[in-house]
């Protein structure tokens, strides 16, 4: 995946390019990030990247011309790289995404869809955000982390990049593990245990030590349904459960109410 990132704080992206699973995906070439700083596209001697809003009010906005120039440069670079590596010439489909509290909230299914794309430009806002004309002319999609406001789009862009990396073929040690994560099948992940087998008098559910794969699968599904019922009942309401799932959830509820 080719990513062009427009940001006033490119150094922040070391968090995804140097560490963990996303760092490994970058080093192996699965994800290619190129950073574009609007400050490098200024033409005044102070290299200003912010400006006052018309009509007054608190705060500043990102200055329009450097922002537009850096978005154009990012789009060009990503499309050129994508065209060079692609089997076909479908390189013009690169979307410009603005990370914004006003966007659609990111969920696991949107991450899975976005992760299929071969290229994108991510715009990280700062200050009070961007001029509405940039929004109308340059931005294809707005995506949000949730209904709260953070100080800049960098953490949102890095969150998106990290989450998409989990769905790049070859990025995880075990291909299937992202599909077993919470939300991928609509449910929360079941509880997990590692060594030691006993700690401070707390053991591990016997079934996990049994070697009976079918019993373990059923136990995990039951716990996954139960965790979702207890912690995120809204997720269950949005699903239609299969017969086996209905039965296991009923058993979980009975066990839970009995204990
Ligand atoms: C202080 S915020 C601006 C908020 C803007 N004045 C508003 O109320 O809609 C600065 C930047 O942080 C980013 N940002 C803030 N909250 C976000 C969220 N929930 N999801 C994604 N990006 C966010 C956006 O890029 C935004 O331009």
């Amino acid at each position: 995946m080719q990513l062009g990132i427009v940001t006033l704080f490119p150094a922040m992206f070391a968090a995804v390019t140097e560490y963990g699973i996303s760092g490994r995906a970058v080093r192996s070439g699965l994800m290619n990030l190129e950073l574009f700083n609007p400050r490098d596209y200024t033409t005044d001697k102070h290299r200003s990247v912010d400006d006052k809003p018309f009509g007054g009010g608190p705060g500043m906005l990102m200055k329009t011309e450097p922002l537009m120039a850096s978005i154009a440069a990012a789009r060009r670079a990503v499309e050129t790289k994508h065209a060079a590596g692609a089997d076909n010439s479908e390189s013009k489909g690169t979307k410009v995404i603005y990370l914004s509290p006003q966007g659609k909230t990111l969920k696991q299914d949107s991450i899975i869809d976005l992760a299929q794309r071969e290229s994108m430009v991510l715009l990280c806002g700062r200050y009070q955000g961007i001029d509405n004309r940039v929004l109308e002319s340059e931005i294809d999609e707005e995506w949000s982390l949730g209904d709260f406001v953070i100080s800049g789009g960098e953490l949102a862009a890095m969150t998106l990049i990290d989450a998409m990396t989990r769905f790049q073929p070859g990025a995880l040690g075990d291909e299937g593990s992202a599909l077993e994560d919470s939300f991928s099948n609509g449910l929360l992940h079941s509880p997990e245990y590692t060594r030691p087998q006993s700690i401070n008098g707390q053991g591990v559910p016997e079934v996990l030590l049994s070697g009976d794969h079918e019993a373990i699968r059923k136990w995990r599904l039951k716990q996954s349904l139960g965790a979702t019922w207890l912690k995120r009942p809204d997720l269950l309401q949005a699903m239609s459960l299969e017969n086996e799932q209905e039965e296991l959830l009923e058993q979980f509820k009975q066990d839970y109410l009995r204990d």
Side-chain angles (χ1 to χ4, degrees), residues 103-159:
K104 208 170 149 198
T105 306
L106 285 164
K107 306 263 188 217
Q108 189 79 331
D109 56 358
S110 34
I111 297 287
I112 293 172
D113 283 349
L114 289 164
Q116 310 305 314
R117 299 189 189 172
E118 291 178 358
S119 62
M120 66 182 69
V121 170
L122 301 179
L123 168 60
C124 308
R126 278 277 156 179
Y127 313 114
Q128 287 304 322
I130 63 176
D131 185 306
N132 205 52
R133 292 164 298 179
V134 179
L135 192 64
E136 284 174 356
S137 63
E138 307 297 325
I139 306 301
D140 299 304
E141 295 170 19
E142 283 180 87
W143 287 99
S144 168
L145 285 189
D147 292 347
F148 50 87
V149 173
I150 53 178
S151 308
E154 286 78 8
L155 290 174
M158 287 192 274
T159 304

Short mmCIF file of all heavy atoms in Angstrom, two decimals, residues 103-159:
data_model
loop_
_atom_site.label_atom_id
_atom_site.label_comp_id
_atom_site.label_asym_id
_atom_site.label_seq_id
_atom_site.Cartn_x
_atom_site.Cartn_y
_atom_site.Cartn_z
N GLY A 103 -15.93 13.29 10.52
CA GLY A 103 -16.04 12.20 9.56
C GLY A 103 -16.88 11.04 10.07
O GLY A 103 -17.39 11.05 11.19
N LYS A 104 -16.98 10.03 9.22
CA LYS A 104 -17.66 8.80 9.61
C LYS A 104 -16.75 8.05 10.60
O LYS A 104 -15.53 8.02 10.40
CB LYS A 104 -17.83 7.96 8.33
CG LYS A 104 -19.00 7.06 8.34
CD LYS A 104 -19.20 6.47 6.96
CE LYS A 104 -19.80 5.10 7.14
NZ LYS A 104 -19.68 4.24 6.00
N THR A 105 -17.35 7.49 11.62
CA THR A 105 -16.52 6.83 12.65
C THR A 105 -15.90 5.54 12.11
O THR A 105 -16.60 4.71 11.52
CB THR A 105 -17.38 6.51 13.89
OG1 THR A 105 -17.99 7.72 14.31
CG2 THR A 105 -16.53 5.96 15.03
N LEU A 106 -14.60 5.40 12.32
CA LEU A 106 -13.89 4.19 11.88
C LEU A 106 -14.34 2.99 12.71
O LEU A 106 -14.41 3.07 13.95
CB LEU A 106 -12.38 4.38 12.04
CG LEU A 106 -11.72 5.27 10.99
CD1 LEU A 106 -10.34 5.70 11.46
CD2 LEU A 106 -11.62 4.55 9.65
N LYS A 107 -14.64 1.90 12.03
CA LYS A 107 -15.01 0.63 12.69
C LYS A 107 -14.18 -0.46 12.01
O LYS A 107 -13.62 -0.23 10.94
CB LYS A 107 -16.49 0.30 12.46
CG LYS A 107 -17.43 1.39 12.86
CD LYS A 107 -17.97 1.13 14.24
CE LYS A 107 -19.07 2.12 14.55
NZ LYS A 107 -19.12 2.57 15.88
N GLN A 108 -14.19 -1.64 12.58
CA GLN A 108 -13.37 -2.71 12.01
C GLN A 108 -13.77 -3.01 10.55
O GLN A 108 -12.91 -3.26 9.72
CB GLN A 108 -13.49 -3.98 12.87
CG GLN A 108 -12.52 -5.08 12.51
CD GLN A 108 -11.11 -4.86 13.06
OE1 GLN A 108 -10.66 -3.73 13.25
NE2 GLN A 108 -10.40 -5.94 13.30
N ASP A 109 -15.08 -2.95 10.23
CA ASP A 109 -15.44 -3.27 8.84
C ASP A 109 -14.96 -2.18 7.88
O ASP A 109 -14.56 -2.47 6.75
CB ASP A 109 -16.94 -3.59 8.67
CG ASP A 109 -17.84 -2.48 9.16
OD1 ASP A 109 -17.32 -1.47 9.69
OD2 ASP A 109 -19.07 -2.61 9.03
N SER A 110 -14.93 -0.89 8.35
CA SER A 110 -14.40 0.14 7.46
C SER A 110 -12.89 -0.02 7.31
O SER A 110 -12.33 0.20 6.22
CB SER A 110 -14.77 1.56 7.92
OG SER A 110 -14.82 1.69 9.31
N ILE A 111 -12.22 -0.44 8.39
CA ILE A 111 -10.77 -0.67 8.30
C ILE A 111 -10.49 -1.78 7.29
O ILE A 111 -9.59 -1.66 6.45
CB ILE A 111 -10.21 -1.09 9.68
CG1 ILE A 111 -10.38 0.02 10.72
CG2 ILE A 111 -8.76 -1.55 9.58
CD1 ILE A 111 -9.50 1.21 10.59
N ILE A 112 -11.29 -2.86 7.34
CA ILE A 112 -11.07 -3.99 6.41
C ILE A 112 -11.23 -3.50 4.96
O ILE A 112 -10.43 -3.83 4.08
CB ILE A 112 -12.01 -5.16 6.74
CG1 ILE A 112 -11.62 -5.76 8.10
CG2 ILE A 112 -11.96 -6.24 5.66
CD1 ILE A 112 -12.57 -6.82 8.65
N ASP A 113 -12.24 -2.65 4.71
CA ASP A 113 -12.44 -2.11 3.35
C ASP A 113 -11.28 -1.20 2.95
O ASP A 113 -10.73 -1.33 1.86
CB ASP A 113 -13.73 -1.28 3.28
CG ASP A 113 -14.95 -2.18 3.20
OD1 ASP A 113 -14.77 -3.38 3.00
OD2 ASP A 113 -16.07 -1.65 3.34
N LEU A 114 -10.93 -0.27 3.83
CA LEU A 114 -9.85 0.68 3.50
C LEU A 114 -8.53 -0.05 3.26
O LEU A 114 -7.73 0.35 2.42
CB LEU A 114 -9.69 1.71 4.63
CG LEU A 114 -10.82 2.74 4.76
CD1 LEU A 114 -10.77 3.46 6.12
CD2 LEU A 114 -10.76 3.78 3.64
N ALA A 115 -8.32 -1.14 4.01
CA ALA A 115 -7.05 -1.88 3.91
C ALA A 115 -6.88 -2.56 2.54
O ALA A 115 -5.78 -2.96 2.18
CB ALA A 115 -6.95 -2.92 5.02
N GLN A 116 -7.99 -2.70 1.78
CA GLN A 116 -7.89 -3.34 0.45
C GLN A 116 -7.33 -2.37 -0.59
O GLN A 116 -6.93 -2.77 -1.68
CB GLN A 116 -9.27 -3.79 -0.08
CG GLN A 116 -10.11 -4.62 0.87
CD GLN A 116 -9.38 -5.83 1.37
OE1 GLN A 116 -8.76 -6.55 0.60
NE2 GLN A 116 -9.42 -6.04 2.68
N ARG A 117 -7.35 -1.06 -0.29
CA ARG A 117 -6.91 -0.08 -1.30
C ARG A 117 -5.40 -0.16 -1.49
O ARG A 117 -4.67 -0.49 -0.57
CB ARG A 117 -7.29 1.33 -0.86
CG ARG A 117 -8.79 1.46 -0.73
CD ARG A 117 -9.17 2.90 -0.52
NE ARG A 117 -10.58 2.97 -0.18
CZ ARG A 117 -11.19 4.08 0.21
NH1 ARG A 117 -10.52 5.21 0.31
NH2 ARG A 117 -12.48 4.06 0.48
N GLU A 118 -4.98 0.24 -2.69
CA GLU A 118 -3.54 0.15 -2.96
C GLU A 118 -2.83 1.46 -2.68
O GLU A 118 -1.60 1.51 -2.61
CB GLU A 118 -3.33 -0.29 -4.40
CG GLU A 118 -3.78 -1.74 -4.53
CD GLU A 118 -3.66 -2.28 -5.93
OE1 GLU A 118 -3.27 -1.53 -6.83
OE2 GLU A 118 -4.00 -3.47 -6.09
N SER A 119 -3.60 2.54 -2.54
CA SER A 119 -2.96 3.83 -2.27
C SER A 119 -3.97 4.77 -1.62
O SER A 119 -5.17 4.60 -1.79
CB SER A 119 -2.46 4.45 -3.58
OG SER A 119 -3.55 4.68 -4.45
N MET A 120 -3.47 5.73 -0.87
CA MET A 120 -4.31 6.80 -0.33
C MET A 120 -3.44 7.94 0.19
O MET A 120 -2.25 7.74 0.47
CB MET A 120 -5.25 6.29 0.77
CG MET A 120 -4.59 5.82 2.02
SD MET A 120 -5.79 5.17 3.23
CE MET A 120 -6.36 3.67 2.45
N VAL A 121 -4.05 9.13 0.25
CA VAL A 121 -3.38 10.27 0.87
C VAL A 121 -4.14 10.57 2.16
O VAL A 121 -5.38 10.61 2.16
CB VAL A 121 -3.41 11.50 -0.07
CG1 VAL A 121 -2.94 12.76 0.66
CG2 VAL A 121 -2.54 11.25 -1.30
N LEU A 122 -3.41 10.73 3.27
CA LEU A 122 -4.04 11.05 4.56
C LEU A 122 -3.67 12.47 4.95
O LEU A 122 -2.48 12.80 5.01
CB LEU A 122 -3.56 10.07 5.64
CG LEU A 122 -3.82 8.59 5.38
CD1 LEU A 122 -3.26 7.74 6.52
CD2 LEU A 122 -5.32 8.31 5.21
N LEU A 123 -4.68 13.29 5.20
CA LEU A 123 -4.42 14.67 5.62
C LEU A 123 -4.67 14.80 7.12
O LEU A 123 -5.76 14.49 7.61
CB LEU A 123 -5.35 15.63 4.85
CG LEU A 123 -5.42 17.06 5.39
CD1 LEU A 123 -4.05 17.74 5.38
CD2 LEU A 123 -6.42 17.88 4.58
N CYS A 124 -3.62 15.24 7.83
CA CYS A 124 -3.72 15.42 9.28
C CYS A 124 -3.95 16.91 9.55
O CYS A 124 -3.06 17.73 9.28
CB CYS A 124 -2.42 14.99 9.95
SG CYS A 124 -1.89 13.34 9.47
N GLY A 125 -5.11 17.23 10.09
CA GLY A 125 -5.40 18.63 10.41
C GLY A 125 -4.68 19.04 11.68
O GLY A 125 -4.26 18.21 12.49
N ARG A 126 -4.53 20.36 11.84
CA ARG A 126 -4.00 20.96 13.09
C ARG A 126 -4.78 22.26 13.33
O ARG A 126 -5.61 22.65 12.53
CB ARG A 126 -2.51 21.27 12.95
CG ARG A 126 -1.63 20.07 13.20
CD ARG A 126 -1.39 19.84 14.70
NE ARG A 126 -1.06 18.45 15.00
CZ ARG A 126 -0.80 18.01 16.22
NH1 ARG A 126 -0.81 18.82 17.25
NH2 ARG A 126 -0.56 16.74 16.43
N TYR A 127 -4.52 22.90 14.42
CA TYR A 127 -5.23 24.14 14.80
C TYR A 127 -6.73 23.87 14.85
O TYR A 127 -7.15 22.82 15.33
CB TYR A 127 -4.89 25.29 13.83
CG TYR A 127 -3.41 25.41 13.57
CD1 TYR A 127 -2.88 25.17 12.31
CD2 TYR A 127 -2.52 25.74 14.60
CE1 TYR A 127 -1.52 25.28 12.06
CE2 TYR A 127 -1.15 25.84 14.37
CZ TYR A 127 -0.66 25.59 13.10
OH TYR A 127 0.68 25.68 12.87
N GLN A 128 -7.55 24.78 14.27
CA GLN A 128 -9.00 24.55 14.26
C GLN A 128 -9.43 23.79 13.00
O GLN A 128 -10.61 23.70 12.71
CB GLN A 128 -9.75 25.88 14.36
CG GLN A 128 -9.69 26.51 15.76
CD GLN A 128 -10.21 25.57 16.84
OE1 GLN A 128 -11.17 24.84 16.65
NE2 GLN A 128 -9.55 25.57 18.00
N GLY A 129 -8.46 23.31 12.23
CA GLY A 129 -8.80 22.51 11.05
C GLY A 129 -8.45 23.23 9.76
O GLY A 129 -7.50 24.02 9.70
N ILE A 130 -9.26 22.96 8.71
CA ILE A 130 -8.90 23.44 7.37
C ILE A 130 -10.00 24.32 6.79
O ILE A 130 -11.16 24.24 7.21
CB ILE A 130 -8.61 22.26 6.40
CG1 ILE A 130 -9.85 21.38 6.18
CG2 ILE A 130 -7.46 21.41 6.94
CD1 ILE A 130 -9.64 20.26 5.16
N ASP A 131 -9.63 25.14 5.83
CA ASP A 131 -10.55 26.01 5.08
C ASP A 131 -11.59 25.12 4.37
O ASP A 131 -11.22 24.10 3.77
CB ASP A 131 -9.71 26.78 4.06
CG ASP A 131 -10.50 27.82 3.27
OD1 ASP A 131 -11.53 27.44 2.68
OD2 ASP A 131 -10.06 28.98 3.25
N ASN A 132 -12.86 25.52 4.45
CA ASN A 132 -13.91 24.67 3.88
C ASN A 132 -13.76 24.44 2.38
O ASN A 132 -14.20 23.43 1.85
CB ASN A 132 -15.29 25.28 4.18
CG ASN A 132 -16.35 24.21 4.18
OD1 ASN A 132 -16.21 23.20 4.87
ND2 ASN A 132 -17.38 24.39 3.38
N ARG A 133 -13.09 25.38 1.69
CA ARG A 133 -12.91 25.20 0.24
C ARG A 133 -11.91 24.08 -0.04
O ARG A 133 -12.04 23.37 -1.04
CB ARG A 133 -12.45 26.52 -0.41
CG ARG A 133 -13.56 27.57 -0.35
CD ARG A 133 -13.02 28.93 -0.60
NE ARG A 133 -12.05 29.33 0.42
CZ ARG A 133 -11.39 30.49 0.44
NH1 ARG A 133 -11.61 31.39 -0.51
NH2 ARG A 133 -10.53 30.76 1.40
N VAL A 134 -10.94 23.89 0.87
CA VAL A 134 -10.01 22.76 0.70
C VAL A 134 -10.79 21.46 0.89
O VAL A 134 -10.64 20.49 0.15
CB VAL A 134 -8.83 22.84 1.71
CG1 VAL A 134 -7.89 21.66 1.54
CG2 VAL A 134 -8.08 24.15 1.55
N LEU A 135 -11.67 21.50 1.89
CA LEU A 135 -12.51 20.33 2.15
C LEU A 135 -13.33 19.98 0.90
O LEU A 135 -13.37 18.82 0.47
CB LEU A 135 -13.44 20.65 3.33
CG LEU A 135 -14.21 19.52 3.95
CD1 LEU A 135 -13.27 18.50 4.58
CD2 LEU A 135 -15.15 20.05 5.03
N GLU A 136 -13.94 21.00 0.30
CA GLU A 136 -14.82 20.73 -0.84
C GLU A 136 -14.06 20.32 -2.10
O GLU A 136 -14.52 19.47 -2.86
CB GLU A 136 -15.68 21.96 -1.14
CG GLU A 136 -16.79 22.08 -0.11
CD GLU A 136 -17.60 23.37 -0.26
OE1 GLU A 136 -17.26 24.21 -1.13
OE2 GLU A 136 -18.56 23.51 0.49
N SER A 137 -12.87 20.92 -2.31
CA SER A 137 -12.21 20.66 -3.59
C SER A 137 -11.19 19.52 -3.53
O SER A 137 -10.91 18.89 -4.55
CB SER A 137 -11.51 21.93 -4.11
OG SER A 137 -10.49 22.32 -3.21
N GLU A 138 -10.62 19.25 -2.34
CA GLU A 138 -9.50 18.29 -2.29
C GLU A 138 -9.82 16.99 -1.57
O GLU A 138 -9.09 16.02 -1.72
CB GLU A 138 -8.29 18.92 -1.58
CG GLU A 138 -7.84 20.26 -2.14
CD GLU A 138 -7.36 20.16 -3.58
OE1 GLU A 138 -6.76 19.14 -3.94
OE2 GLU A 138 -7.63 21.11 -4.34
N ILE A 139 -10.83 17.00 -0.73
CA ILE A 139 -11.04 15.84 0.16
C ILE A 139 -12.12 14.92 -0.40
O ILE A 139 -13.23 15.36 -0.71
CB ILE A 139 -11.43 16.32 1.58
CG1 ILE A 139 -10.40 17.31 2.14
CG2 ILE A 139 -11.62 15.13 2.52
CD1 ILE A 139 -8.98 16.80 2.24
N ASP A 140 -11.78 13.64 -0.50
CA ASP A 140 -12.75 12.66 -1.00
C ASP A 140 -13.55 12.03 0.13
O ASP A 140 -14.71 11.67 -0.04
CB ASP A 140 -12.02 11.55 -1.76
CG ASP A 140 -11.27 12.11 -2.96
OD1 ASP A 140 -11.92 12.76 -3.80
OD2 ASP A 140 -10.04 11.93 -3.04
N GLU A 141 -12.88 11.83 1.28
CA GLU A 141 -13.56 11.15 2.40
C GLU A 141 -13.08 11.75 3.71
O GLU A 141 -11.91 12.14 3.82
CB GLU A 141 -13.22 9.65 2.42
CG GLU A 141 -13.71 8.90 1.22
CD GLU A 141 -13.16 7.48 1.15
OE1 GLU A 141 -12.70 6.95 2.18
OE2 GLU A 141 -13.17 6.92 0.05
N GLU A 142 -13.97 11.77 4.72
CA GLU A 142 -13.57 12.17 6.08
C GLU A 142 -13.82 10.98 6.99
O GLU A 142 -14.91 10.41 6.99
CB GLU A 142 -14.44 13.33 6.56
CG GLU A 142 -14.08 14.67 5.99
CD GLU A 142 -15.00 15.75 6.55
OE1 GLU A 142 -14.70 16.31 7.62
OE2 GLU A 142 -16.04 16.01 5.92
N TRP A 143 -12.82 10.64 7.81
CA TRP A 143 -12.96 9.54 8.77
C TRP A 143 -12.55 10.02 10.15
O TRP A 143 -11.58 10.76 10.31
CB TRP A 143 -12.08 8.35 8.37
CG TRP A 143 -12.61 7.60 7.18
CD1 TRP A 143 -12.20 7.72 5.89
CD2 TRP A 143 -13.66 6.62 7.18
NE1 TRP A 143 -12.92 6.86 5.08
CE2 TRP A 143 -13.82 6.18 5.84
CE3 TRP A 143 -14.48 6.05 8.17
CZ2 TRP A 143 -14.75 5.21 5.48
CZ3 TRP A 143 -15.41 5.09 7.80
CH2 TRP A 143 -15.54 4.67 6.47
N SER A 144 -13.30 9.59 11.15
CA SER A 144 -13.10 10.03 12.53
C SER A 144 -12.73 8.86 13.43
O SER A 144 -13.16 7.72 13.20
CB SER A 144 -14.40 10.65 13.03
OG SER A 144 -14.35 10.85 14.43
N LEU A 145 -11.98 9.16 14.51
CA LEU A 145 -11.71 8.14 15.53
C LEU A 145 -12.90 7.95 16.44
O LEU A 145 -13.03 6.91 17.09
CB LEU A 145 -10.52 8.56 16.40
CG LEU A 145 -9.11 8.46 15.84
CD1 LEU A 145 -8.11 8.73 16.96
CD2 LEU A 145 -8.84 7.10 15.22
N GLY A 146 -13.75 8.96 16.56
CA GLY A 146 -14.89 8.87 17.47
C GLY A 146 -15.36 10.26 17.84
O GLY A 146 -14.79 11.27 17.40
N ASP A 147 -16.39 10.31 18.66
CA ASP A 147 -17.01 11.59 18.99
C ASP A 147 -16.27 12.32 20.10
O ASP A 147 -16.78 12.47 21.23
CB ASP A 147 -18.48 11.38 19.37
CG ASP A 147 -19.30 10.93 18.19
OD1 ASP A 147 -18.81 11.02 17.04
OD2 ASP A 147 -20.45 10.48 18.39
N PHE A 148 -15.06 12.73 19.80
CA PHE A 148 -14.25 13.54 20.70
C PHE A 148 -13.23 14.27 19.83
O PHE A 148 -13.04 13.89 18.66
CB PHE A 148 -13.54 12.68 21.76
CG PHE A 148 -12.79 11.51 21.17
CD1 PHE A 148 -11.48 11.66 20.74
CD2 PHE A 148 -13.40 10.28 21.01
CE1 PHE A 148 -10.78 10.60 20.17
CE2 PHE A 148 -12.72 9.21 20.44
CZ PHE A 148 -11.42 9.37 20.03
N VAL A 149 -12.61 15.30 20.40
CA VAL A 149 -11.67 16.09 19.59
C VAL A 149 -10.26 15.95 20.15
O VAL A 149 -10.03 16.13 21.35
CB VAL A 149 -12.12 17.57 19.57
CG1 VAL A 149 -11.06 18.44 18.88
CG2 VAL A 149 -13.45 17.70 18.84
N ILE A 150 -9.32 15.59 19.26
CA ILE A 150 -7.91 15.58 19.64
C ILE A 150 -7.24 16.77 18.94
O ILE A 150 -7.86 17.43 18.10
CB ILE A 150 -7.24 14.23 19.29
CG1 ILE A 150 -7.45 13.84 17.83
CG2 ILE A 150 -7.76 13.14 20.21
CD1 ILE A 150 -6.76 12.54 17.43
N SER A 151 -5.99 17.02 19.28
CA SER A 151 -5.36 18.27 18.84
C SER A 151 -4.84 18.23 17.41
O SER A 151 -4.48 19.27 16.85
CB SER A 151 -4.21 18.64 19.77
OG SER A 151 -4.66 18.61 21.08
N GLY A 152 -4.73 17.05 16.84
CA GLY A 152 -4.22 16.96 15.47
C GLY A 152 -4.55 15.62 14.87
O GLY A 152 -4.81 14.65 15.59
N GLY A 153 -4.53 15.54 13.54
CA GLY A 153 -4.92 14.31 12.86
C GLY A 153 -3.86 13.23 12.86
O GLY A 153 -4.12 12.10 12.42
N GLU A 154 -2.64 13.54 13.35
CA GLU A 154 -1.55 12.55 13.26
C GLU A 154 -1.88 11.26 14.01
O GLU A 154 -1.67 10.16 13.49
CB GLU A 154 -0.23 13.14 13.79
CG GLU A 154 0.43 14.16 12.86
CD GLU A 154 -0.23 15.54 12.91
OE1 GLU A 154 -1.10 15.77 13.77
OE2 GLU A 154 0.14 16.38 12.07
N LEU A 155 -2.36 11.39 15.26
CA LEU A 155 -2.65 10.17 16.02
C LEU A 155 -3.77 9.37 15.35
O LEU A 155 -3.76 8.14 15.35
CB LEU A 155 -3.02 10.51 17.47
CG LEU A 155 -1.87 11.03 18.33
CD1 LEU A 155 -2.39 11.48 19.70
CD2 LEU A 155 -0.80 9.98 18.50
N ALA A 156 -4.72 10.09 14.74
CA ALA A 156 -5.81 9.40 14.03
C ALA A 156 -5.26 8.68 12.80
O ALA A 156 -5.60 7.52 12.54
CB ALA A 156 -6.89 10.40 13.64
N ALA A 157 -4.37 9.36 12.05
CA ALA A 157 -3.81 8.74 10.84
C ALA A 157 -2.97 7.51 11.23
O ALA A 157 -3.05 6.46 10.58
CB ALA A 157 -2.95 9.75 10.08
N MET A 158 -2.21 7.64 12.31
CA MET A 158 -1.37 6.50 12.73
C MET A 158 -2.23 5.34 13.22
O MET A 158 -1.90 4.17 12.99
CB MET A 158 -0.38 6.94 13.82
CG MET A 158 0.73 7.80 13.24
SD MET A 158 2.06 8.04 14.42
CE MET A 158 1.46 9.44 15.32
N THR A 159 -3.33 5.67 13.87
CA THR A 159 -4.25 4.61 14.31
C THR A 159 -4.80 3.87 13.10
O THR A 159 -4.83 2.63 13.06
CB THR A 159 -5.40 5.22 15.15
OG1 THR A 159 -4.83 5.94 16.23
CG2 THR A 159 -6.34 4.16 15.67
#
